[in-house]
Amino acid sequence: MTLNLFDSHINLHGEQYDDDRDEVLVRARELGVNRFISICDKMDNFSKIREFTGCHDDMWCSVGVHPHYAKDYLDLTSDELVELAQDPKVCGIGETGLDLHYGYSEIELQESSFRKHIAAARETNLPLIVHSREADELMGNILEEEMHKGRFQPLMHCYTSGVELAKRAIDLDAYFSVSGILSFKKANDVRAVAEIMPLDRIILETDCPYLAPTPYRGRRNEPGYLVDVCRAFAELRGLTMEEAAQLTTENCMRLFGRVT
Ligand SMILES: [Zn+2]
């Protein structure tokens, strides 16, 4: 059985892969994971990420600043993001959003950075890769308010927030990505929300090196483990592995229009 899977969120530029970055990809391809999006977490890493992406025909990347680092890029402009997004290998804006769990950057700074990313997503027509943690109400408010100003396409990445925000995001026609958390024994809340997501709006991600699915939990995650994320998703939604792989890859291709 050969699957055709798409890992929509990898953080392969991290030092965790300094010894075997290419081997990790080879292993993933052998398992049927044959498209990857390398996520930009800060502007200082963009050129490294872009360069690595350029070495692989099956890889694309994003441009943006993770909410953790919002405080380090106070001068960031949406024009700067739009400019870098002219590159055909750039297929999404982010990851951006709000993280009140860690709160590494003040909330006002996260919010202003997030709105700049939204403006860039609106202008470029590229999907906005949204990180949201313990910020459900504010996240919903900002998404609705900004959508009112002009349409953009949100992707709620690694969704672990509540049902209410999920419903508000569904009303905005957002996509959702699910991760290895789906396979964690105690993640009943996350599974419950994943059950109400529209099937034509769900995609898969590993978010590697974090969140390795069962049975690799606690170890370094890698894109090949997307097979196990797919299995958890297929079981939850009563699909076969082939159906789950096909569905999520088709969704991903529709969402990330620049990916071929
Ligand atoms: Zn994230």
Side-chain angles (χ1 to χ4, degrees):
M1 176 178 76
T2 313
L3 297 170
N4 177 27
L5 288 163
F6 188 142
D7 193 344
S8 65
H9 203 104
I10 64 172
N11 305 282
L12 225 51
H13 60 282
E15 59 186 4
Q16 297 94 332
Y17 300 104
D18 279 351
D19 294 332
D20 62 351
R21 196 165 279 116
D22 288 309
E23 289 92 318
V24 157
L25 286 171
V26 170
R27 280 201 289 277
R29 292 181 188 118
E30 281 167 0
L31 291 164
V33 186
N34 51 32
R35 289 185 187 87
F36 310 89
I37 298 178
S38 207
I39 299 296
C40 184
D41 55 349
K42 40 180 151 178
M43 302 310 275
D44 291 274
N45 285 336
F46 179 71
S47 59
K48 180 183 178 185
I49 292 166
R50 174 60 184 84
E51 192 182 326
F52 181 62
T53 299
C55 298
H56 300 281
D57 291 343
D58 50 8
M59 190 179 292
W60 286 261
C61 66
S62 68
V63 62
V65 176
H66 192 286
H68 287 346
Y69 308 115
K71 65 177 185 317
D72 302 325
Y73 297 95
L74 301 180
D75 296 336
L76 181 77
T77 63
S78 62
D79 285 347
E80 193 179 341
L81 294 168
V82 169
E83 168 91 28
L84 291 168
Q86 300 310 307
D87 182 334
K89 274 283 201 181
V90 174
C91 70
I93 305 292
E95 68 177 290
T96 177
L98 304 172
D99 193 314
L100 305 193
H101 178 76
Y102 288 106
Y104 290 145
S105 289
E106 283 173 51
I107 184 59
E108 293 78 14
L109 304 183
Q110 295 188 35
E111 181 175 336
S112 102
S113 174
F114 185 35
R115 289 184 192 268
K116 291 172 191 171
H117 286 76
I118 292 175
R122 190 184 286 122
E123 191 169 333
T124 57
N125 248 321
L126 292 175
L128 180 77
I129 302 157
V130 179
H131 169 109
S132 187
R133 191 143 179 217
E134 291 177 24
D136 291 28
E137 191 174 347
L138 181 58
M139 175 56 69
N141 293 347
I142 294 176
L143 289 174
E144 287 165 4
E145 188 189 311
E146 289 286 340
M147 197 65 81
H148 206 71
K149 295 186 201 162
R151 171 90 199 137
F152 60 95
Q153 179 59 62
L155 161 64
M156 308 303 287
H157 118 83
C158 192
Y159 195 82
T160 56
S161 298
V163 178
E164 271 317 302
L165 176 60
K167 287 181 178 163
R168 293 172 79 179
I170 288 168
D171 285 344
L172 298 174
D173 210 14
Y175 281 69
F176 295 85
S177 70
V178 294
S179 71
I181 296 175
L182 275 192
S183 70
F184 296 174
K185 242 193 176 105
K186 289 184 178 159
N188 289 325
D189 293 356
V190 173
R191 276 188 291 273
V193 180
E195 283 197 273
I196 65 159
M197 294 171 185
L199 278 178
D200 63 350
R201 289 291 181 273
I202 304 181
I203 66 173
L204 306 178
E205 66 168 285
T206 56
D207 202 9
C208 65
Y210 318 108
L211 303 172
T214 306
Y216 309 105
R217 193 167 179 192
R219 290 197 238 160
R220 183 190 72 169
N221 197 0
E222 55 178 77
Y225 300 166
L226 194 69
V227 174
D228 303 273
V229 176
C230 185
R231 183 172 302 112
F233 168 67
E235 280 171 12
L236 181 75
R237 299 300 297 258
L239 305 167
T240 65
M241 279 293 273
E242 291 87 344
E243 285 167 345
Q246 190 185 348
L247 174 82
T248 52
T249 296
E250 279 174 10
N251 290 343
C252 230
M253 299 296 285
R254 189 185 325 113
L255 174 63
F256 291 102
R258 282 195 185 163
V259 171
T260 53

